[in-house]
Amino acid sequence: MKTQEQILRELSEIREAIVRIAGTPALPPEEQFAEASLDKVALELKKLSIKRGEWIDDRDLSRYFKGVYNGGRFIREAFGFNDFFKKGKSYYYRKSSIIRLSQELKSRNVDLARYMELKESEAKFQEKVSAVAAANKKQKKKPPFQLPDSLKDIATEDFHPAVEIVEAELSKLRGQFTEENFSKYIDVYGGHAMMKFRYPFSGFAEKEIKSKCRRWCEQYNMACDALSKLSGKGKKFTPPEDPNAYEL
């Protein structure tokens, strides 16, 4: 067991080490442990831990997530990843937590690069839907103008297809997917479809195939969105004979 003298000596050594790291040995004792000095100590310790490899920056993430570049912001926002600190314009992530996240995604059969593409594709699709809705709303807000008295009794109702029609369209699309073996070219994630083509391989696919697949994705996404709006529910479609597809 350590004696009281040994403990006091070790505490004194720790105090001197902190003062040296903070660069405040010339200050009076009461100022050596001021808040600004302790902040400086914390920053210096983080610098040391970065050098030891305990922390990694955005450039190192591709080592743990295949095909992911500049994915730090996505990881922070999509997964609520909070084991990081910011120094200047750079973000540093605790390596052990990044490894755990990578392992968890792997256990769920989730390719992070593909998941990022999926979320981007979904966002772009919703932007189109919102743009159409905003344009219609803007037209409704046009200022009134004078109408002739004879203009009346010309009316119609908004078109809302029956749920059965939309479901039949989805059924037809599923049949086309199977018959034309679209699983080679398209990934389906529940209610959203994306083409598999990636640069540079997309240049080797026939234009007719790409055009047909792109049209199928647009029709499928539109039908799923319509079904969700009409019935308040969506239908999942797991493509047959598609070992490369996975659901999120």
Side-chain angles (χ1 to χ4, degrees):
M1 182 178 293
K2 294 182 179 179
T3 65
Q4 183 177 1
E5 183 179 349
Q6 287 176 316
I7 294 173
L8 291 174
R9 184 170 63 252
E10 290 179 359
L11 290 174
S12 177
E13 290 174 353
I14 292 172
R15 182 185 185 283
E16 290 177 4
I18 294 175
V19 169
R20 286 197 299 273
I21 293 175
T24 59
L27 295 177
E30 64 274 10
E31 296 182 20
Q32 291 178 350
F33 290 91
E35 184 176 352
S37 299
L38 293 176
D39 288 343
K40 186 175 180 181
V41 171
L43 182 60
E44 292 299 323
L45 289 174
K46 283 181 177 178
K47 286 181 180 179
L48 291 173
S49 63
I50 291 172
K51 291 180 179 178
R52 290 197 301 267
E54 296 175 11
W55 299 84
I56 58 177
D57 62 14
D58 284 288
R59 294 169 298 181
D60 297 320
L61 293 178
S62 59
R63 300 179 184 176
Y64 307 95
F65 306 104
K66 184 179 179 182
V68 172
Y69 304 97
N70 299 321
R73 181 178 177 180
F74 183 88
I75 289 172
R76 297 193 304 272
E77 295 179 355
F79 304 133
F81 190 93
N82 56 19
D83 200 359
F84 70 92
F85 70 90
K86 186 178 181 183
K87 180 176 178 291
K89 294 183 179 181
S90 300
Y91 288 84
Y92 293 89
Y93 310 85
R94 192 184 300 277
K95 183 169 70 174
S96 58
S97 295
I98 288 293
I99 291 174
R100 285 172 56 196
L101 174 60
S102 174
Q103 292 172 340
E104 180 66 24
L105 290 176
K106 186 176 181 180
S107 70
R108 298 185 182 204
N109 193 28
V110 174
D111 179 339
L112 180 58
R114 189 58 169 169
Y115 182 51
M116 291 171 66
E117 291 176 350
L118 170 63
K119 301 308 289 184
E120 182 181 1
S121 178
E122 288 179 338
K124 288 181 178 179
F125 177 74
Q126 287 303 320
E127 282 180 8
K128 291 182 180 180
V129 173
S130 299
V132 172
N136 292 336
K137 187 176 181 181
K138 186 177 181 181
Q139 289 177 0
K140 291 179 181 179
K141 288 187 176 181
K142 285 184 177 180
F145 48 85
Q146 189 174 357
L147 297 175
D149 293 338
S150 60
L151 183 61
K152 59 184 178 179
D153 296 330
I154 300 175
T156 186
E157 295 181 357
D158 289 340
F159 170 70
H160 288 93
V163 173
E164 292 77 15
I165 294 177
V166 179
E167 290 180 333
E169 174 67 11
L170 282 171
S171 179
K172 185 183 75 173
L173 290 169
R174 293 190 188 101
Q176 183 184 9
F177 190 97
T178 303
E179 291 170 7
E180 303 194 31
N181 196 21
F182 280 169
S183 61
K184 292 171 58 179
Y185 315 108
I186 298 173
D187 281 333
V188 179
Y189 305 100
H192 193 84
M194 296 170 59
M195 294 175 62
K196 291 184 176 182
F197 301 122
R198 286 180 173 177
Y199 179 85
F201 303 113
S202 61
F204 294 94
E206 296 180 8
K207 290 184 178 180
E208 183 180 352
I209 288 293
K210 289 202 294 186
S211 177
K212 185 180 292 186
C213 289
R214 189 176 290 109
R215 186 165 56 253
W216 190 95
C217 287
E218 290 176 354
Q219 292 174 335
Y220 177 80
N221 293 340
M222 188 180 300
C224 287
D225 188 59
L227 181 62
S228 177
K229 286 181 169 62
L230 290 171
S231 65
K233 63 182 181 179
K235 282 199 172 182
K236 282 194 173 184
F237 169 39
T238 303
E241 300 179 3
D242 185 10
N244 297 318
Y246 49 87
E247 293 188 6
L248 300 175

